Amino acid sequence: MKKSLILLPLFLLSIITSCKQNDTKKEGENEKQIEQKELVTKDNTKIGRKNFVIIWKWTTTDVKLVENNLAKISEEINSIWKDDIITDAYYNSNPAIDKLAYFPNVSFVLKANTLKEVEEELNKLALVKERIASYSIYPVGTKWLGRDSDKISNKGITFSYASVWENKNLDKASDDLIKSQSDIILKLWNEGKIENVYFDIEGTQKSNEVTDFVFFINANTLEEAKKMCNEMPFVKEDISSFKLYSVGVFWLGEDTK
């Protein structure tokens, strides 16, 4: 959505920076001063990050391989979440497709400055290094709406589906049509029917030329989620198309409450 709505993201790469600081720290600085400087540097690296939705798919059928790496996989995912590199993680313990024994499928949003940084971060994970799973990356710009647990509880707990949209005829979208699309999304969010809405409205990145926005739908069935998207102005006017991925239930991330 190159014409409307705006938001803000973040990222961090602090190990190299902090090493350099340790080498060049001034004589006489106490540990607290050094700590404060490192925190400022760490925060600065977060400015300007963008969001990328990561959808995983099993590439192995070897259950033993997954079992042997399960502790490491869990440790790595939790570690990068604590480091504020990923957010809005979902897990699906019983997917209709791409099922591997009792293991859940995981999807999340990763925050980085560039697509290359995303790939570097993901390629460090045991999931990739051990050829357990492969990933698809969807650049989605910045976050507009988060997750309101009160609204979702009032609606009733359901399953979540990632709705990934692609531009087709964005040039044909009038300001009124864009406003209509945005109003419907906001209405659905207020009703607890969607959460964690990401937009690339700036259109500043080549990697974002395809993916326009992503949001997570709370619905009882895939058909219900599909109907919700089909009723949006951008679909009716053939401006954008969408794909749905069953991601299960919300796992890690921030809540607006």
Side-chain angles (χ1 to χ4, degrees):
M1 302 222 136
K2 312 259 188 305
K3 296 185 185 176
S4 102
L5 311 175
I6 34 202
L7 323 191
L8 236 22
L10 333 141
F11 185 64
L12 110 339
L13 244 252
S14 62
I15 296 178
I16 295 175
T17 308
S18 63
C19 286
K20 287 181 180 176
Q21 282 188 330
N22 289 337
D23 290 338
T24 59
K25 64 185 179 183
K26 292 180 182 178
E27 193 175 341
E29 285 181 327
N30 61 37
E31 289 301 316
K32 185 157 187 172
Q33 288 174 316
I34 294 166
E35 255 180 52
Q36 288 172 336
K37 282 192 172 184
E38 288 175 348
L39 280 173
V40 170
T41 304
K42 189 175 180 181
D43 286 341
N44 285 342
T45 61
K46 293 182 178 183
I47 298 171
R49 284 188 299 174
K50 303 163 188 73
N51 297 286
F52 301 81
V53 170
I54 312 301
I55 304 291
W56 291 90
K57 180 178 175 59
W58 296 111
T59 53
T60 184
T61 57
D62 188 344
V63 172
K64 196 67 179 172
L65 175 65
V66 182
E67 287 177 342
N68 291 341
N69 285 277
L70 205 54
K72 186 170 182 60
I73 292 168
S74 178
E75 179 185 337
E76 288 176 341
I77 296 296
N78 276 284
S79 174
I80 57 178
W81 175 67
K82 288 177 182 177
D83 285 344
D84 192 33
I85 294 173
I86 68 168
T87 187
D88 296 342
Y90 293 77
Y91 74 90
N92 192 348
S93 58
N94 191 29
I97 57 173
D98 191 32
K99 177 71 175 168
L100 181 62
Y102 55 87
F103 303 112
N105 290 12
V106 175
S107 307
F108 52 72
V109 175
L110 191 148
K111 298 184 276 191
N113 288 297
T114 65
L115 185 62
K116 183 180 178 183
E117 285 181 3
V118 177
E119 292 171 339
E120 287 174 351
E121 192 66 47
L122 295 174
N123 290 341
K124 291 189 296 187
L125 300 177
L127 278 166
V128 177
K129 291 170 75 173
E130 300 298 330
R131 299 183 180 180
I132 292 171
S134 61
Y135 55 79
S136 296
I137 304 172
Y138 298 97
V140 291
T142 50
K143 192 171 186 175
W144 178 32
L145 299 169
R147 184 177 194 274
D148 190 318
S149 58
D150 287 349
K151 290 182 173 70
I152 292 162
S153 296
N154 290 338
K155 177 188 175 297
I157 302 301
T158 54
F159 302 106
S160 293
Y161 299 86
S163 178
V164 180
W165 290 64
E166 294 182 0
N167 298 329
K168 293 171 67 180
N169 301 302
L170 194 61
D171 291 341
K172 295 181 181 179
S174 65
D175 290 342
D176 286 343
L177 190 63
I178 291 171
K179 184 178 184 306
S180 178
Q181 176 85 0
S182 303
D183 287 347
I184 287 177
I185 289 173
L186 186 57
K187 178 177 179 292
L188 291 172
W189 180 80
N190 277 315
E191 293 172 351
K193 293 179 179 178
I194 65 173
E195 62 188 37
N196 294 326
V197 183
Y198 291 84
F199 279 81
D200 172 34
I201 30 80
E202 296 171 349
T204 54
Q205 294 188 77
K206 290 181 180 177
S207 59
N208 282 3
E209 285 302 308
V210 176
T211 306
D212 189 39
F213 56 94
V214 168
F215 54 80
F216 293 81
I217 300 174
N218 298 315
N220 291 300
T221 64
L222 181 64
E223 289 69 29
E224 184 182 329
K226 191 179 295 184
K227 182 181 178 185
M228 208 178 296
C229 293
N230 280 330
E231 290 175 350
M232 292 189 177
F234 271 29
V235 175
K236 290 181 176 180
E237 298 299 325
D238 198 32
I239 300 298
S240 301
S241 60
F242 64 89
K243 291 181 180 177
L244 291 172
Y245 300 90
S246 176
V247 294
V249 296
F250 184 72
W251 175 30
L252 296 171
E254 295 180 354
D255 199 296
T256 57
K257 292 295 179 185

